[in-house]
């Protein structure tokens, strides 16, 4: 899963931050990030390359650009006979994405156009294209309604997702595909998981209210903030009082552990494997949920750099787990031969369910990625299932809404593994925004990302 960008800076106006640099400079940096993303760089990396003082404003603009990029590219095709070079095109599309709809524009469209032209003039890499950008954007201002109307019939412009993505959602979720796409373009909330070893949601809600922060209950351990805030403003965050985690992701620990806990007094702690653990949020939730003495968690991560984030997460929360840098699909490299009571497999996936928090994902993914990732998921399932003890469980989950990575994956697994039994599970949770979603029977209440969950049990012999 990508690193979480969930403290979305677009939760406040880009113009409201104090001591902002000139808008033309922010547009330059936003266009640079967009050009990097188009070249295959993740949004996390692209925005982290911006100097910290400028990053919040640039990321706020960048998120909005990525959410309306399909419309912007359609408008550019009407304005320009040829696609400009990458950086001038990124600047032109940045301005169009921000200005195309006056109700959503963070600044007046005329101001955005003027400052985009200024940005082009001030950068040697775009200066030669400044007159071209100026001509396109001035025409856009004159003919905006007609140009927008001309692009309304184009699915990519209407839904701001690649055409293959739209078609796949139509096949996978024929009744809900439009709602999913609309939710993808909404801003995600900031949801907290209260550390059960330190407090309760009810008690922590009072702490938030005491410092003027509004929130509402969501799920068993969660609180959804009325407005996103820097974590430094959250009471006790540095000391592990809470973590930032989406409501759908908070379902993993209780799904895996409920029914296995509590262990009998004096019995050995549960042996649990978190197979793809970085950045450690679900690892921590397992320990918080079970209690430190009732569980022994091994947290695997194939990437040594990302594994350090697990250590950092656990250190802040005051928790301990065995963190191992290894490939979960190659147990011979790391497994000690003792079977696990429970395994959490949060498998690598397209991240198609968390587009609200990572609006770059839809533009980075290719249609062929889904099949490649599904093969990797099947390999991990096949490698880890033999490590589950009889009577134990494996929870398979992905932050994807594509059936090839969810229900189809598990259907194929059950055919291949007759010793596996599917327990009651949420299945596909579709991304849901409280502002625009109707209820879905198997979705938890509230606002959450898209996820898939399947809880598998290996029956004990009679």
């Amino acid at each position: 899963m990508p690193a979480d960008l969930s403290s979305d800076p677009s939760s406040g106006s880009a113009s409201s931050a104090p001591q902002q640099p000139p808008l033309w400079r922010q547009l330059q940096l936003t266009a640079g990030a967009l050009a990097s993303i188009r070249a295959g760089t993740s949004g996390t990396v692209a925005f982290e390359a911006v100097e910290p003082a400028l990053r919040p404003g640039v990321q706020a603009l960048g998120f909005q650009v990525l959410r309306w990029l399909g419309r912007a590219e359609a408008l550019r095709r009407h304005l320009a006979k040829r696609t400009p070079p990458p950086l001038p095109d990124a600047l032109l599309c940045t301005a169009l994405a921000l200005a195309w709809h006056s109700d959503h524009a963070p600044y007046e469209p005329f101001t955005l156009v003027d400052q985009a032209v200024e940005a082009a003039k001030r950068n040697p890499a775009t200066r030669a294209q400044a007159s071209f950008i100026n001509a396109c954007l001035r025409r856009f201002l004159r003919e905006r309604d007609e140009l927008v109307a001309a692009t309304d019939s184009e699915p990519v412009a209407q839904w701001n997702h690649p055409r293959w993505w739209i078609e796949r959602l139509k096949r996978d979720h024929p009744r809900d595909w439009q709602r999913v796409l609309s939710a993808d373009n909404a801003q995600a909330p900031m949801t907290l998981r209260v550390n059960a070893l330190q407090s309760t949601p009810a008690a922590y809600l009072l702490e938030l209210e005491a410092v003027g922060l509004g929130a509402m209950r969501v799920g068993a351990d969660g609180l959804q903030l009325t407005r996103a805030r820097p974590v430094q403003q959250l009471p006790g965050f540095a000391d592990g009082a809470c973590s930032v985690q989406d409501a759908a992701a908070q379902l993993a620990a209780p799904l895996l552990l409920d029914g296995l806990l509590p262990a009998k007094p004096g019995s050995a702690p549960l042996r649990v494997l978190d197979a793809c653990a970085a950045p450690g949020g679900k690892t921590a939730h397992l320990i918080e949920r079970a209690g430190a003495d009732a569980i022994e968690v091994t947290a695997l991560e194939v990437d040594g750099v990302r594994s350090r984030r697990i250590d950092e997460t656990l250190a802040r929360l005051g928790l301990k787990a065995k963190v191992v840098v290894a490939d979960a699909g190659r147990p011979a490299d790391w497994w000690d031969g003792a079977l696990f009571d429970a395994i959490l497999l949060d498998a690598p996936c397209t991240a198609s369910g968390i587009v609200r928090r990572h609006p770059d994902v839809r533009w980075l993914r290719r249609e062929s990625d889904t099949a490649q990732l599904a093969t990797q998921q099947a390999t991990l399932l096949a490698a880890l299932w033999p490590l589950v003890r009889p009577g134990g469980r494996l929870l398979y989950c992905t932050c994807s809404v594509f059936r090839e990575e969810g229900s189809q994956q598990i259907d194929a697994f059950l055919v291949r593994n007759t010793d596996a039994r599917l327990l009651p599970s949420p299945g596909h949770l579709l991304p849901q925004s409280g502002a625009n979603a109707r209820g879905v029977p198997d979705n938890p209440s509230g606002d959450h990302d898209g996820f898939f969950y399947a809880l598998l049990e290996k029956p004990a012999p009679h």
Side-chain angles (χ1 to χ4, degrees):
M1 187 185 301
D4 194 0
L5 298 175
S6 58
S7 51
D8 188 339
S10 55
S11 58
S13 168
S15 60
S16 64
Q19 297 180 334
Q20 286 289 343
L23 179 56
W24 63 261
R25 179 59 179 151
Q26 294 184 72
L27 294 174
Q28 278 185 341
L29 294 169
T30 303
L34 175 59
S36 294
I37 291 167
R38 281 173 159 175
T41 302
S42 76
T44 302
V45 174
F47 290 117
E48 284 180 351
V50 178
E51 61 181 282
L54 306 184
R55 192 178 302 151
V58 171
Q59 190 170 316
L61 294 174
F63 271 46
Q64 186 162 346
V65 168
L66 292 163
R67 287 175 179 140
W68 299 112
L69 186 59
R71 177 73 70 168
E73 291 179 343
L75 289 168
R76 188 257 289 135
R77 286 193 293 272
H78 283 265
L79 292 166
K81 294 180 180 178
R82 298 179 181 176
T83 303
L87 192 55
D89 184 54
L91 181 56
L92 177 57
C93 287
T94 291
L96 291 170
L98 295 172
W100 81 274
H101 197 302
S102 57
D103 290 347
H104 301 309
Y107 302 90
E108 288 295 327
F110 180 85
T111 300
L112 286 164
V113 168
D114 178 74
Q115 290 295 290
V117 174
E118 186 70 15
K121 293 177 178 178
R122 288 177 177 261
N123 187 346
T126 55
R127 189 173 297 144
Q129 299 286 329
S131 295
F132 163 76
I133 292 173
N134 181 60
C136 288
L137 292 177
R138 299 298 171 185
R139 180 187 165 199
F140 165 74
L141 287 178
R142 294 193 305 270
E143 304 174 22
R144 181 171 58 175
D145 292 345
E146 295 88 343
L147 288 166
V148 169
T151 61
D152 278 340
S153 61
E154 301 178 34
V156 175
Q158 181 182 5
W159 297 110
N160 291 283
H161 287 69
R163 184 177 295 272
W164 71 264
W165 191 300
I166 298 169
E167 294 304 317
R168 183 178 288 270
L169 279 177
K170 285 182 179 180
R171 293 195 307 270
D172 284 359
H173 305 286
R175 292 188 300 174
D176 295 300
W177 66 274
Q178 292 176 313
R179 181 173 64 83
V180 172
L181 293 170
S182 296
D184 282 353
N185 289 324
Q187 180 188 316
M190 186 173 179
T191 304
L192 307 179
R193 184 190 76 245
V194 178
N195 185 346
L197 298 178
Q198 293 192 22
S199 186
T200 65
Y204 194 70
L205 180 60
L206 295 176
E207 291 189 52
L208 291 173
E209 292 173 347
V211 294
L213 301 181
M216 60 179 287
R217 293 286 300 271
V218 56
D221 302 315
L223 293 171
Q224 180 181 307
L225 293 179
T226 304
R227 183 179 176 187
R229 299 286 184 177
V231 293
Q232 296 83 356
Q233 295 182 15
L234 302 176
F237 181 85
D239 298 320
C242 66
S243 300
V244 178
Q245 188 179 46
D246 182 77
Q250 291 188 35
L251 294 176
L255 276 169
L256 185 61
L257 295 178
D258 286 0
L260 293 177
L261 291 171
K264 296 178 182 178
S267 62
L270 285 176
R271 277 177 50 83
V272 178
L273 172 68
D274 187 352
C276 302
K282 295 183 182 69
T283 302
H285 195 194
L286 289 166
I287 302 170
E288 293 169 5
R289 185 88 181 180
D293 296 331
I295 191 170
E296 290 179 353
V297 180
T298 299
L300 280 185
E301 174 54 46
V302 69
D303 186 321
V305 174
R306 283 174 52 81
S307 74
R308 290 200 287 271
R309 295 195 60 195
I310 305 174
D311 293 320
E312 293 166 358
T313 297
L314 296 174
R316 182 181 64 82
L317 294 165
L319 305 175
K320 291 183 179 181
K322 181 181 179 182
V323 180
V324 179
V325 178
D327 182 350
R330 297 169 57 94
D333 294 344
W334 54 266
W335 184 43
D336 63 6
L339 296 174
F340 290 98
D341 299 295
I343 295 178
L344 171 60
L345 173 55
D346 184 3
C349 69
T350 57
S352 57
I354 56 172
V355 175
R356 301 186 306 167
R357 300 180 191 281
H358 300 272
D360 57 308
V361 165
R362 69 190 96 177
W363 308 116
L364 287 169
R365 289 294 180 204
R366 299 293 177 264
E367 187 170 10
S368 59
D369 291 346
T370 310
Q372 293 172 0
L373 286 160
T375 298
Q376 184 178 2
Q377 293 152 13
T379 299
L380 288 167
L381 278 166
L384 294 173
W385 183 243
L387 279 57
V388 180
R389 69 163 172 82
R393 297 174 173 181
L394 184 150
L395 179 64
Y396 171 83
C397 61
T398 62
C399 54
S400 174
V401 295
F402 296 151
R403 291 197 180 277
E404 190 171 357
E405 301 180 283
S407 57
Q408 293 174 11
Q409 181 73 258
I410 292 303
D411 287 346
F413 175 83
L414 291 170
V415 169
R416 294 190 301 267
N417 295 272
T418 56
D419 63 338
R421 183 164 68 103
L422 180 63
L423 298 179
S425 310
H428 283 280
L429 300 174
L430 300 181
Q432 177 166 299
S433 169
N436 65 9
R438 61 178 175 81
V440 177
D442 59 355
N443 274 356
S445 61
D447 199 328
H448 56 76
D449 292 338
F451 250 79
F452 174 81
Y453 284 107
L455 183 60
L456 302 163
E457 182 181 60
K458 183 178 289 186
H462 295 295

